[in-house]
Amino acid sequence: MDNFSFFLKEQYLDLWHIANNDHPFVKGLGDGSLPLNKFQYYLKQDYIFLFYYCKVLALASAKSDTETMMSKWVKLLNETLNSEMDLHRNFCKDFGISEYELENTKADLATDKYTKFLLQCAQKNSIEQIAVSLLPCQWGYGEIGKKLSKNLNLSPKSFHYKWIESYNSKEYQEVTDWLKIFVDDIGKKINQNQESLLSDIFKSGIEYEIKFWDSAWNSSN
């Protein structure tokens, strides 16, 4: 199947739009109305999420069967570990979260379930399943950053602006494009049973994304 990534997205387009277009947290980032306290809650939980995301990327690298593939996963790991997490530390410093508070944050229920889903998938399954499990997050953030940056009427000093620009960066978009292409290549080699399994994994990833946004949006501290 050609364009497997878009096939997966189109199958669950309603869920995709909730996660990456219609969720009030995402809308609040775009129009500048998201309250600081909800963003702070999100930052602390996302720091935990990214820590486990990096573990999943390391497992994907370890399961690679070529040097080229290993290099691609390491590049994504480097982007996440040394750019995205660094961005979070700077965000936290700029917007009232101490290093101590960040490193002592406990995962809430949504974060705990999402990270366990990704880590268990990485530990038990093939590199193809790992890639599909990661795609909703990687692609979704990239799409949000790209879309919101087109109508950016926010102060460059606001956390809304800085967050959007970070996920619209050339580096982030490049690694996202690679992951989509890799998933497209997977789609050319699978049978119907494998397609169904990967489709279920992709759907679960979007659902966990929505619950992650829900948790931050509904937070009161």
Side-chain angles (χ1 to χ4, degrees):
M1 176 188 297
D2 293 330
N3 298 319
F4 187 47
S5 60
F6 285 94
F7 167 79
L8 292 170
K9 177 181 173 182
E10 289 295 315
Q11 273 196 304
Y12 306 110
L13 202 55
D14 289 346
L15 287 174
W16 185 267
H17 281 307
I18 293 171
N20 303 305
N21 296 279
D22 302 332
H23 199 283
F25 192 98
V26 175
K27 286 186 172 182
L29 280 169
D31 63 19
S33 65
L34 183 70
L36 178 59
N37 67 313
K38 295 185 184 298
F39 186 68
Q40 289 170 324
Y41 185 91
Y42 156 80
L43 281 180
K44 290 186 285 186
Q45 291 300 314
D46 203 37
Y47 182 81
I48 297 171
F49 175 84
L50 287 172
F51 180 81
Y52 284 95
Y53 198 84
C54 288
K55 289 189 175 188
V56 173
L57 295 175
L59 285 168
S61 176
K63 291 189 175 187
S64 299
D65 54 9
T66 68
E67 182 181 347
T68 299
M69 183 57 63
M70 184 179 289
S71 176
K72 294 292 187 182
W73 286 111
V74 169
K75 182 177 180 180
L76 182 51
L77 174 58
N78 179 63
E79 171 66 20
T80 306
L81 184 62
N82 297 315
S83 295
E84 206 172 340
M85 289 190 77
D86 201 41
L87 172 72
H88 267 66
R89 293 187 193 95
N90 290 332
F91 266 138
C92 292
K93 181 180 179 181
D94 291 343
F95 297 106
I97 302 171
S98 68
E99 185 174 343
Y100 177 84
E101 185 179 3
L102 182 65
E103 293 181 354
N104 286 276
T105 298
K106 303 298 183 184
D108 66 17
L109 186 61
T111 305
D112 183 62
K113 287 186 174 181
Y114 196 178
T115 54
K116 283 180 178 176
F117 160 73
L118 292 175
L119 196 56
Q120 288 171 4
C121 184
Q123 290 168 335
K124 297 177 181 179
N125 298 319
S126 68
I127 197 168
E128 290 80 11
Q129 289 162 299
I130 297 172
V132 172
S133 75
L134 296 174
L135 188 59
C137 177
Q138 187 74 31
W139 190 5
Y141 272 49
E143 189 170 285
I144 292 169
K146 187 181 294 185
K147 179 177 68 72
L148 295 183
S149 69
K150 292 178 180 178
N151 299 299
L152 206 52
N153 297 309
L154 302 168
S155 167
K157 295 182 179 180
S158 71
F159 62 80
H160 314 82
Y161 181 97
K162 292 181 179 180
W163 189 95
I164 292 166
E165 286 300 279
S166 68
Y167 288 105
N168 189 46
S169 70
K170 178 183 177 183
E171 294 77 14
Y172 189 88
Q173 295 295 333
E174 283 179 349
V175 292
T176 301
D177 288 343
W178 170 78
L179 185 59
K180 287 162 59 181
I181 291 169
F182 180 54
V183 170
D184 287 342
D185 288 340
I186 291 169
K188 298 173 183 177
K189 306 170 186 175
I190 58 175
N191 58 38
Q192 191 169 2
N193 288 336
Q194 291 169 322
E195 177 188 304
S196 179
L197 172 62
L198 293 174
S199 180
D200 287 344
I201 290 173
F202 187 81
K203 180 185 179 184
S204 293
I206 305 174
E207 290 173 337
Y208 281 117
E209 279 291 304
I210 294 170
K211 291 174 183 176
F212 191 76
W213 290 136
D214 285 345
S215 180
W217 179 251
N218 293 324
S219 65
S220 57
N221 57 349

